Amino acid sequence: MSGRTLSKKFRLRKDSVPIARAHVRETLVRWKLGQLIDDAVSIADELAANAVVHARGIGEFFEVGLRRRDGVLIVEVSDSYQWQMPEKRAADPESTGGRGLLIVDGLADNWGVRPRESGKTVWAHLPISRATPTS
């Protein structure tokens, strides 16, 4: 079951984030990667929320991509905001936000950002070896 890919666009609105989480959950159930659901959903949640907050007014959509390749699940979120690439920073202990990429960094084996023709894609890798097939 190597080489699966699925991408879906969502409106760049706050209420799209829980829909994107559900999409990731349902896809991983279909792909029999149940043990990766919590981490993958958390990563997609943080990256989608970042897209909604930081790309607002730039485009109409963000896109969630899931790819299964060479023993790795790749979770990607793309948006049209190209002027500033996200960076992991130390969170202000008094702030209620600013921890998204720290969470992604803690969950993923590897993550990064790549520019696109219009915008960027933030990606994260989860090894499939963490997963055991579910029915």
Side-chain angles (χ1 to χ4, degrees):
M1 190 184 297
S2 182
R4 287 189 163 196
T5 301
L6 182 65
S7 292
K8 186 171 181 177
K9 286 185 177 183
F10 299 89
R11 285 260 182 226
L12 196 56
R13 300 186 323 209
K14 187 175 164 181
D15 61 350
S16 294
V17 175
I19 299 167
R21 285 194 309 259
H23 165 70
V24 170
R25 181 180 313 282
E26 292 162 7
T27 300
L28 295 185
V29 167
R30 280 194 316 274
W31 289 1
K32 299 189 184 324
L33 294 175
Q35 296 297 338
L36 293 179
I37 287 174
D38 290 341
D39 289 350
V41 166
S42 294
I43 289 169
D45 177 63
E46 294 298 336
L47 298 180
N50 282 351
V52 169
V53 169
H54 299 292
R56 176 169 269 157
I58 304 300
E60 294 184 43
F61 299 96
F62 68 91
E63 185 173 354
V64 175
L66 297 168
R67 291 187 290 144
R68 181 182 177 155
R69 296 231 166 84
D70 301 323
V72 174
L73 175 68
I74 304 164
V75 180
E76 300 176 323
V77 175
S78 303
D79 63 52
S80 298
Y81 188 60
Q82 59 193 10
W83 295 280
Q84 182 178 353
M85 294 294 147
E87 304 176 355
K88 181 181 77 167
R89 313 177 249 254
D92 176 353
E94 302 300 317
S95 176
T96 59
R99 291 169 179 77
L101 291 178
L102 290 171
I103 292 169
V104 171
D105 187 60
L107 294 173
D109 271 18
N110 195 12
W111 73 274
V113 184
R114 69 176 178 274
R116 301 179 338 148
E117 186 175 317
S118 174
K120 68 182 170 312
T121 298
V122 184
W123 53 267
H125 291 177
L126 293 171
I128 291 174
S129 61
R130 271 193 220 172
T132 55
T134 59
S135 44

